[in-house]
Amino acid sequence: MNRQMQIQQMMGNPQFQQQYQQRLRGMNPSQILDQVASNPQMMNNPIVQNVMKMRKANDTEGLTGLAENIFGEKGQNYSDFEKQAKQFLGFN
């Protein structure tokens, strides 16, 4: 089973969803990115480095564009993901 399939399987697990929601509840996106920044393995990723630079510059258009490009490369729609993520995290 590849990593993407594992992630999809975890996201479909109600217990995982509940634990993930509880973990993120009360955290704003900036706090989540602070956690990412504290992970040296994540910070070795050039895309993550770029995200952190855009974050520091408050480049929300750049961040949205990056997300749209990543989803577009995979044949997916960012707007659909954004809607699902907001529902999943309880930000309806």
Side-chain angles (χ1 to χ4, degrees):
M1 179 180 305
N2 68 28
R3 182 74 176 141
Q4 184 176 5
M5 289 174 64
Q6 289 174 333
I7 291 170
Q8 288 174 345
Q9 191 174 40
M10 286 187 325
M11 294 302 284
N13 179 333
Q15 184 179 7
F16 173 80
Q17 288 178 0
Q18 183 180 15
Q19 290 171 349
Y20 192 73
Q21 287 174 344
Q22 288 173 348
R23 184 174 177 208
L24 292 178
R25 198 160 307 228
M27 292 180 71
N28 64 43
S30 184
Q31 291 169 320
I32 294 168
L33 288 176
D34 286 341
Q35 283 191 344
V36 170
S38 68
N39 182 331
Q41 192 173 17
M42 289 291 291
M43 290 307 296
N44 285 332
N45 182 315
I47 294 173
V48 173
Q49 291 172 1
N50 191 25
V51 165
M52 293 304 181
K53 286 178 188 174
M54 286 188 277
R55 174 190 181 212
K56 190 173 184 176
N58 293 319
D59 183 2
T60 56
E61 288 181 22
L63 290 166
T64 301
L66 175 67
E68 289 170 344
N69 288 339
I70 290 171
F71 277 81
E73 287 175 4
K74 296 181 180 223
Q76 299 173 344
N77 185 316
Y78 172 74
S79 297
D80 292 343
F81 167 77
E82 183 179 31
K83 180 180 175 185
Q84 291 173 357
K86 285 180 179 179
Q87 288 174 342
F88 175 75
L89 295 172
F91 296 122
N92 297 336

